[in-house]
């Protein structure tokens, strides 16, 4: 009886420390674990009677992913806490967020030492993001492009050299976008993936003629509702507070970060933790297959 009380006390303490949403179940000594629970316990070296009886192999299977280290000490609530819906996009009109929904985006990468660390942080919170990449960066680091896609994030377009498209004619602007797309296509083709036809203007510089031309080329423009302004020289704490203040003011939106700044890397864990504590959900943007096919054809025709 003393052993049972010790086990119960240990389990209660662990549940409190890891933030379980439900109180621990009382051990029913008369209950017999199912064959699935016994198999799960043997596989995962579970020895506590309570843990064996309450083990749920189905939930554990859904939570596990190739990118999450299951020995990292992350509790189930943390892994699932930020995961929102997948939003399939075919046109600009499809980019509609409900209250409390956030889309996380990163521009200008990939960059070693920054992008890969950001991927690890996103994995810890099971949050998916959209990376709008430069073609010239993708040429230098194709393996990092693939790693972003392998971990379930969306790879989109941000031109080749980050030039201001309002300074050139429409033909040259579309050619610059296509030039930036080709290194992404080359980087992702070995894993049978392709960049999403999502595009963001460098410097957010645009006009109606440009927007119409980009849309007619089969691309969906990734607008920004919450600009973190992490490109300004500031501390990670300043970036965090500025971004959260704007997000709380609007209650939802597409957030702009850059995966080339250390301040952004340093800020990200606190930002994701705050999203979770404030009840936000991170939405993953996914291109509709029809959009993918249409953009490939139209971009080639425009060049």
């Amino acid at each position: 009886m003393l052993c049972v009380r010790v086990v119960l006390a240990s389990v209660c303490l662990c549940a409190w420390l890891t933030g379980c949403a439900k109180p621990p179940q009382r051990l029913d000594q008369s209950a017999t674990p199912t064959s699935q629970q016994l198999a799960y316990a043997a596989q995962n070296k579970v020895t506590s009677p309570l843990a064996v009886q309450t083990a749920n192999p189905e939930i554990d299977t859904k939570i596990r992913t190739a990118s999450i280290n299951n020995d990292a000490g992350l509790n189930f609530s943390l892994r699932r806490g930020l995961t929102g819906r997948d939003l399939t996009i075919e046109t600009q009109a499809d980019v509609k967020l409900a209250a409390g929904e956030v889309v996380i985006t990163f521009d200008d990468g990939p960059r070693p030492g920054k992008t890969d660390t950001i991927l690890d942080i996103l994995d810890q919170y099971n949050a998916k993001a959209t990376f709008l990449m430069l073609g010239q960066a993708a040429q230098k680091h194709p393996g990092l492009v693939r790693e972003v896609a392998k971990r379930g994030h969306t790879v989109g377009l941000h031109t080749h050299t980050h030039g201001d498209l309002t300074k050139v004619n429409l033909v040259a602007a579309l050619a610059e976008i296509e030039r930036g797309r080709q290194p992404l296509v080359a980087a992702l083709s070995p894993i049978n993936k392709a960049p999403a036809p999502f595009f963001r203007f460098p410097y957010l510089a645009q006009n109606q003629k440009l927007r119409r031309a980009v849309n007619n080329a089969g691309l969906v423009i990734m607008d920004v509702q919450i600009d973190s302004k992490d490109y300004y020289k500031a501390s990670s704490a300043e970036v965090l507070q500025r971004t959260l203040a704007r997000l709380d003011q609007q209650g939802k939106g597409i957030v702009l970060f850059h995966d080339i700044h250390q301040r952004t890397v340093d800020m990200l864990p606190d930002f994701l933790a705050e999203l979770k504590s404030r009840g936000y959900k991170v939405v993953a943007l996914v291109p509709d297959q029809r959009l993918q096919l249409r953009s490939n054809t139209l971009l080639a025709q425009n060049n």
Side-chain angles (χ1 to χ4, degrees):
M1 190 62 180
L2 178 59
C3 292
V4 172
R5 289 178 179 173
V6 170
V7 169
L8 279 173
S10 300
V11 173
C12 289
L13 177 59
C14 291
W16 178 76
L17 290 174
T18 55
C20 280
K22 296 181 179 180
Q25 300 178 20
R26 293 188 177 276
L27 176 61
D28 180 2
Q29 293 183 338
S30 64
T32 302
T34 66
S35 58
Q36 282 185 317
Q37 288 173 324
L38 290 172
Y40 173 86
Q43 180 180 354
N44 292 274
K45 299 180 180 180
V46 175
T47 57
S48 163
L50 176 60
V52 173
Q53 290 183 15
T54 60
N56 191 333
E58 292 184 1
I59 290 178
D60 187 73
T61 301
K62 291 177 182 178
I63 291 171
R64 291 186 179 188
T65 70
S67 59
I68 292 180
N69 180 355
N70 288 295
D71 296 325
L74 300 174
N75 61 68
F76 288 172
S77 177
L78 177 60
R79 293 179 192 168
R80 296 179 295 184
L82 283 177
T83 305
R85 61 185 173 127
D86 287 353
L87 182 56
T88 303
I89 306 298
E90 183 182 4
T91 68
Q92 192 76 31
D94 295 328
V95 188
K96 294 181 179 179
L97 300 177
E101 290 188 330
V102 177
V103 174
I104 299 175
T105 66
F106 296 93
D107 286 7
D108 295 359
R111 181 168 295 185
K114 305 290 194 305
T115 305
D116 43 350
T117 305
I118 285 173
L119 291 177
D120 291 339
I121 296 169
L122 291 171
D123 277 352
Q124 290 174 9
Y125 286 84
N126 203 18
K128 301 305 179 187
T130 297
F131 290 76
L132 290 311
M133 297 185 177
L134 294 175
Q136 61 183 7
Q139 277 184 333
K140 293 178 181 178
H141 313 294
L144 197 48
V145 178
R146 285 190 288 273
E147 186 63 21
V148 171
K150 285 178 180 178
R151 299 214 199 180
H153 305 286
T154 301
V155 175
L157 317 177
H158 197 44
T159 74
H160 188 71
T161 62
H162 205 276
D164 185 343
L165 298 187
T166 64
K167 305 298 183 182
V168 299
N169 61 42
L170 294 181
V171 174
L174 291 175
E176 170 68 4
I177 295 171
E178 174 62 12
R179 184 184 174 202
R181 186 176 75 97
Q182 288 305 319
L184 298 174
V185 172
L188 293 174
S189 60
I191 58 173
N192 296 316
K193 292 182 179 294
F198 299 158
F199 173 74
R200 178 167 288 150
F201 289 100
Y203 310 107
L204 303 179
Q206 56 195 280
N207 54 45
Q208 286 303 315
K209 287 184 178 180
L210 268 172
R211 288 185 68 92
R212 186 161 50 248
V214 169
N215 281 323
N216 290 341
L219 301 176
V220 171
I221 298 170
M222 289 290 105
D223 289 320
V224 174
Q225 285 83 48
I226 296 106
D227 186 352
S228 71
K229 297 189 182 298
D230 59 348
Y231 42 86
Y232 289 155
K233 289 185 178 180
S235 68
S236 59
E238 289 173 315
V239 175
L240 174 65
Q241 294 306 318
R242 177 168 54 235
T243 307
L244 288 172
R246 293 178 177 177
L247 178 57
D248 284 342
Q249 184 179 23
Q250 297 193 34
K252 63 179 179 179
I254 299 176
V255 182
L256 168 61
F257 292 121
H258 296 77
D259 55 328
I260 61 172
H261 301 305
Q262 187 60 45
R263 67 181 71 92
T264 305
V265 177
D266 295 338
M267 172 277 314
L268 190 59
D270 290 334
F271 176 72
L272 295 176
E274 284 296 326
L275 288 187
K276 180 177 180 292
S277 68
R278 299 181 190 203
Y280 288 101
K281 293 294 183 181
V282 175
V283 172
L285 300 184
V286 181
D288 186 279
Q289 186 175 8
R290 291 167 292 184
L291 172 63
Q292 193 86 49
L293 294 172
R294 186 166 66 249
S295 68
N296 291 344
T297 302
L298 291 175
L299 270 175
Q301 289 176 352
N302 278 284
N303 292 277

